[in-house]
Amino acid sequence: MYYFVNEYLYDKNSGIEHAEFKRLQLFKHLHVPAKLVTREYNPMLHRIITKFGLESDDVVNMFDFFQGAVELDTDQAKIQRAAINFRYEIEPDPTISKVYRGDLLNNRVLFIAGTYGQLNVVESFDRYQNLIRAEQWDWRGFKSCIKYYDADRKVIREEYLNPEGTVVIEAAYGSDGIAQSDMTYIRLVNYQGEDYYFYNIEELFDFFLSELDKQQTPGENAYIADRPLTTYKPVMNIPGTSRKFIYLPMVQTEAEANDKNRSYILATGKLNPIYEYAFAKKNIDKLSGIIVATKAQQADIADRVEKIIHADVPVIAIPAATVPGPQTTPTSKKDQIIFVGRLGNGKGIVRLIDMFQQIHNKLTTLKLLIYGYGEAEASARQEAKNLGIEDVVDFKDYQVDLKSAYAESKLFVTTTETDVEPLAMTEAASFGLPMAAFDIPYGPREVIHDGWNGLLFRDGELKEMAEGIVALLKDPQRLEEYGTNAKKTAEQFSDAEIGKLWQEKIITDGVRK
């Protein structure tokens, strides 16, 4: 079994999760058993995964595992199953129903959005109207967690239940009592006839992975840790002979001081702290291999492993971005260009707005569509307003299905400062979109061939990029030629081609046991 290990899956996900979704589908096509593994408790997990074309059997969550709920049919829990006194006065509402005992609020019953009365949370209040208890219902129809609160509405204790209603995990909280990382005490109750104790969720996760490895094919599994901060160390410390890999989803070193080219020298640069454990001399030999997205990364990291760490660990280049192949697209396009990606700091979203304002001065009817979410969105919106172009910059939020958006656009553009092989870039190429980007490390150059399927510029050359895009959009023949070549590029990232790499480098070869 191949396990792709992550921390969480949300309604809105990053490139790490989308790469995992693509990889899982690819392994299915190869008839290789694989599952996603997540750490965080999420009662809506099995609703969320359907949004991304996944099935319950595709995912193993740590809490599901200990709750005995990995394989569970979906039911619908209605208000009749809530722990409330139906003799009290009930104020019904399709979103939140309230239960009163005299003049005091006794309960609030929250329903899952988009459903007809399916239970989400049942809250209980004391005589001072403090929230003291909340029952969380799983999407699949069982009460899965009970939270207890202090007077400041901080979680102080939790109980996790199995579908039969028995407590299987107890947890106590310190700090702010908000995130599961605030857990200070965890008791795994009567697990295989014994109680186990942990001081934090990281220790529980370590134990979970070691138990997971005992399932089906003990010692013959393969783990790929995808999220550096929370999964590298636990995966590397799984006991036994199962293979362990880490996938490097982003730039791993800090930029050299006064380096205008932002070269991020992986061979010799200072490691980002989240990678220090994996690349430490005493730890790196636990790995069966290091997987990266680009050949440039592969060369530099292999150099670092050999010359600085003096280790013998294979570095394998397998693109994270895969597409079915070139897509059929309409001949007519809307007057728009598109960006798809996380709107995070370091992604260059504000300077994308600045650059587009220069394009708008020349092509006044052209629109910029921005698909994504993140902390930089507010600043980008304000910048568009400040520049007076908010009517031609359209923030479209996070969308799962982008086929129409790609098919109807003329060009894909990104001004990101740090991004290793943006997934959206290869998706755009498959729809025949010419691409424009800065020539930053370890990404665009392996997809964009300047003057053939798109445009590459030195990092920060906003004026030059704007001028280049305007010239390209004004030249329909060259635009069509670049689009045709973009589809040819997409063939290199097709499921069939990337599948061959996985088969050769990881699945068949085994790299190293």
Side-chain angles (χ1 to χ4, degrees), residues 348-412:
I349 305 304
V350 172
R351 67 177 183 174
L352 174 63
I353 303 298
D354 294 338
M355 189 276 300
F356 182 72
Q357 193 257 350
Q358 298 179 47
I359 295 176
H360 177 67
N361 290 338
K362 303 291 185 180
L363 302 172
T364 57
T365 61
L366 185 71
K367 285 192 173 184
L368 170 63
L369 274 55
I370 297 177
Y371 286 87
Y373 75 101
E375 61 274 15
E377 179 177 346
S379 298
R381 283 182 178 272
Q382 186 60 49
E383 185 72 357
K385 186 175 181 180
N386 293 343
L387 295 174
I389 57 173
E390 66 268 33
D391 57 332
V392 290
V393 177
D394 194 355
F395 290 86
K396 308 293 283 187
D397 202 3
Y398 176 90
Q399 302 289 335
V400 175
D401 188 352
L402 292 165
K403 295 184 182 69
S404 296
Y406 286 130
E408 295 172 352
S409 299
K410 293 182 175 180
L411 178 139
F412 175 90

